[in-house]
């Protein structure tokens, strides 16, 4: 089965078909979400928090991203694969951005890259796009700027701030991005931006009027029930399912119930002389 291209994704917007995107960080999850029929899979630098257990995404390195992108690529048959560019892998210069985007494509086998920032990231986006690498923009709440924003805070809440979000999204589109993630902005602002852009918008905490939606797979699957921001909807409660399964396994091992004959191997001949082997 062919993987969805940037043209297929653009057509979804033209046809008014919502785009479904989710994150994945390894081969097994990639196979599962692909089987679930998502259109785009993002190897997000959110892996710093949900895979590595860090406080924010800032410590994630390009080599770590490439490793996870490679793993996810092997699990996909249909979904378009986007690789996140981690903090400080594109901010220094457009040529640094291009070189590192190239590594995600060449070594990770991504189909496109995503980077955060609006007006200020436009030169980096332009340089990557001019080399023939598709780019996804990301504006609004940009987690790599957590310290500048004073925390993971909703952006665009005043008229002036909303205008800044629109300007950022337009700068990203003008620089050649084929798609823009809108994160953590009020519903009317996301609607205005989605109507103003000709490229698809993908929302997370941005309400229902975007051209698509993205969620972190661990959040939508309920793998950490202690984490529940307002914008997350859980479609499963895997934390409960997994902890329960591991507890039952533990009980059976301790009770001598597992493994039983059905889960063990027999010899071809009856082991009458086995004792003589040692
Ligand atoms: O890193 C990530 O997972 C992201 C999405 C939440 C959009 O950037």
């Amino acid at each position: 089965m062919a993987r969805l291209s940037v043209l297929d994704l653009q057509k979804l917007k033209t046809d008014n078909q919502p785009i479904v995107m989710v994150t994945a960080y390894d081969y097994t999850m990639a196979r599962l979400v692909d089987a679930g029929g998502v259109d785009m899979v993002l190897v997000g630098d959110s892996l710093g928090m949900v895979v590595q257990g860090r406080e924010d995404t800032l410590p994630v390195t390009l080599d770590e991203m490439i490793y996870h992108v490679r793993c996810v690529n092997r699990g996909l048959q249909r979904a378009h694969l986007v690789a996140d560019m981690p903090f400080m892998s594109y901010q220094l210069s457009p040529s640094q951005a291009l070189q590192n985007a190239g590594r995600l494509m060449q070594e990770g086998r991504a189909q496109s890259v995503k980077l955060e920032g609006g007006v200020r990231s436009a030169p980096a986006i332009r340089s990557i796009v001019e080399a023939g690498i598709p780019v996804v923009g990301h504006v609004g709440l940009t987690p790599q700027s957590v310290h500048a924003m004073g925390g993971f805070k909703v952006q665009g809440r005043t008229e002036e701030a909303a205008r800044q979000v629109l300007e950022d999204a337009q700068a990203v589109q003008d620089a050649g991005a084929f798609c823009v993630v809108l994160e953590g902005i009020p519903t009317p602002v996301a609607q205005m931006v989605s109507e103003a852009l000709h490229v698809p918008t993908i929302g997370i905490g941005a309400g229902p009027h975007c051209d698509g939606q993205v969620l972190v797979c661990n959040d939508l699957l309920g793998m950490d029930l202690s984490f529940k921001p307002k914008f997350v909807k859980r479609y499963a409660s895997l934390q409960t399912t997994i902890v329960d399964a591991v507890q039952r396994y533990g009980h059976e091992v301790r009770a001598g119930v597992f493994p039983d004959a059905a889960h063990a191997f027999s010899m071809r001949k009856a082991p009458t002389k086995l004792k003589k082997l040692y």
Side-chain angles (χ1 to χ4, degrees), residues 21-25 42-48 50 57 65 84 114 116 138 141 143-144 181-183 202-204 214-217 219 231:
M21 187 189 205
V22 71
T23 67
Y25 312 106
L42 168 68
V43 182
D45 62 354
S46 50
L47 69 83
V50 299
T57 58
M65 288 304 302
D84 233 351
K114 175 171 87 57
E116 295 182 8
H138 183 159
L141 193 172
Q144 290 175 16
V181 168
L182 305 179
E183 178 166 357
I202 312 280
I204 174 163
V214 56
L215 279 178
V216 168
C217 60
D219 295 344
F231 63 88

Side-chain angles (χ1 to χ4, degrees), residues 218-223 225 233-239 241:
N218 297 52
D219 295 344
L220 86 89
L221 295 173
M223 294 180 80
L225 297 181
K233 182 169 177 184
R234 291 193 191 117
Y235 291 85
S237 186
L238 287 199
Q239 177 181 319
T241 307

Side-chain angles (χ1 to χ4, degrees), residues 3 47 52 56 79 108 136 152 157 176 194 203 222 225 269 277:
R3 301 272 282 273
L47 69 83
Q52 299 176 337
D56 54 48
V136 177
F152 295 105
R157 281 195 139 143
S194 301
L225 297 181
K269 279 187 170 180
L277 290 177

